């Protein structure tokens, strides 16, 4: 609720929570190589570094990076990262999947740069979540264009996101089936990122999960070639 008005508070809190989730599966981050893909201005990268990780940020949009991005940040497309195979202990992507037109190719690149046995953290806001329309949610339930127009009238400025351009309707069921069918990753956990209880149970309920999960968190383990 405070993302627009107080991004520092919002993303610092989110970064601490995400780092806790990563450490729950990857162990203490000290000395580990963490690749943050699409991490915006670097809140996640900075939190990983505070915990001792060798963390690097790759962000395709220079505007999102801003002037205060962490040292060593790279402008790079998540479809084609300037990294060798298997260089990362942890590959991290927070709320990016709904912004790419080809999620499976994006996931393939995450897997490529992760070492065998390494961890892949992927979370995304699914389209039928109450927040699926991002800044023009929940009015996206009535149609994307209608929701964007309402946002423009209410705020006096154009919405940041446009369906089919930089926001895509990603659903939980198809995504889970596609990921489970891959032979380069194994699903360790599929859960609601923000729910404090029954987080994995909700994701097991077809139909209901598309509305109630809000944000799907996938913890994947890179398989040996």
């Amino acid at each position: 609720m405070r993302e627009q008005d107080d991004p520092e508070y919002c993303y610092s809190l989110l970064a601490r929570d995400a780092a806790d989730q990563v450490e729950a599966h990857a162990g203490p981050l000290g000395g580990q190589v963490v690749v943050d893909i699409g991490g915006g201005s670097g809140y996640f990268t900075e939190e990983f570094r505070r915990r001792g990780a060798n963390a690097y940020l790759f962000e395709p949009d220079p505007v999102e990076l801003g002037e205060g991005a962490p040292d060593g940040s790279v402008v790079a497309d998540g479809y084609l990262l300037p990294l060798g195979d298997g260089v990362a202990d942890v590959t991290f992507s927070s709320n990016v999947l709904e912004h790419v037109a080809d999620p499976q190719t994006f996931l393939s690149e995450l897997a490529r740069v992760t070492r065998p046995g390494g961890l892949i953290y992927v979370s995304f806001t699914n389209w039928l979540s109450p927040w699926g329309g991002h800044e023009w949610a929940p009015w996206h339930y009535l149609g994307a264009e209608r929701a964007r127009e309402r946002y423009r009238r209410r705020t006096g400025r154009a919405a940041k996101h446009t369906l089919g351009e930089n926001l895509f309707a990603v659903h939980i069921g198809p995504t889970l089936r596609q990921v489970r069918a891959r032979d380069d990753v194994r699903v360790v956990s599929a859960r609601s990122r923000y729910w404090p209880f029954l987080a994995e149970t909700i994701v097991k309920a077809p139909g209901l999960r598309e509305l109630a999960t809000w944000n799907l968190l996938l913890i994947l383990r890179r398989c040996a070639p």
Side-chain angles (χ1 to χ4, degrees), residues 6-215:
D6 193 354
E8 177 73 30
Y9 172 85
C10 173
Y11 286 108
S12 296
L13 176 63
L14 193 59
R16 292 194 298 271
D17 184 60
D20 287 343
Q21 292 169 338
V22 170
E23 288 192 321
H25 294 277
L29 288 172
Q32 296 202 53
V33 175
V34 180
V35 174
D36 178 7
I37 301 169
S41 58
Y43 288 98
F44 299 106
T45 298
E46 290 175 343
E47 181 62 30
F48 294 142
R49 289 181 179 180
R50 275 191 286 271
R51 300 187 186 211
N54 299 310
Y56 304 93
L57 172 60
F58 295 83
E59 165 61 49
D61 187 350
V63 175
E64 288 289 337
L65 271 178
E67 297 182 358
D71 292 342
S73 298
V74 179
V75 176
D77 194 319
Y79 288 131
L80 190 62
L81 294 166
L83 294 169
D85 296 351
V87 297
D89 296 301
V90 177
T91 306
F92 178 88
S93 170
S94 173
N95 293 329
V96 175
L97 204 67
E98 71 267 34
H99 300 295
V100 298
D102 186 350
Q104 291 305 304
T105 297
F106 180 79
L107 289 173
S108 293
E109 188 67 350
L110 301 193
R112 182 188 68 80
V113 303
T114 307
R115 66 167 175 80
L119 192 78
I120 302 170
Y121 177 113
V122 177
S123 79
F124 68 91
T125 303
N126 51 297
W127 177 245
L128 293 178
S129 156
W131 297 104
H134 286 50
E135 72 271 26
W136 27 275
W139 304 99
H140 65 295
Y141 289 132
L142 302 179
E145 288 307 312
R146 180 180 296 179
R148 277 175 49 81
E149 177 59 24
R150 180 185 182 278
Y151 180 88
R152 186 195 62 77
R153 291 197 309 269
R154 185 170 60 86
T155 65
R157 61 181 184 271
K160 176 180 178 180
H161 297 99
T162 300
L163 188 66
E165 293 183 9
N166 58 1
L167 181 64
F168 299 88
V170 183
H171 302 285
I172 291 176
T175 300
L176 286 175
R177 289 191 292 272
Q178 290 165 356
V179 171
R180 287 168 176 161
R182 300 179 67 102
D183 60 7
D184 55 354
V185 298
R186 174 176 61 86
V187 178
V188 176
S189 177
R191 54 162 291 164
S192 170
R193 183 176 184 180
Y194 306 130
W195 276 83
F197 57 90
L198 299 178
E200 292 190 346
T201 301
I202 290 170
V203 175
K204 295 176 182 177
L208 176 63
R209 64 190 174 195
E210 301 294 343
L211 176 67
T213 299
W214 285 41
N215 187 286

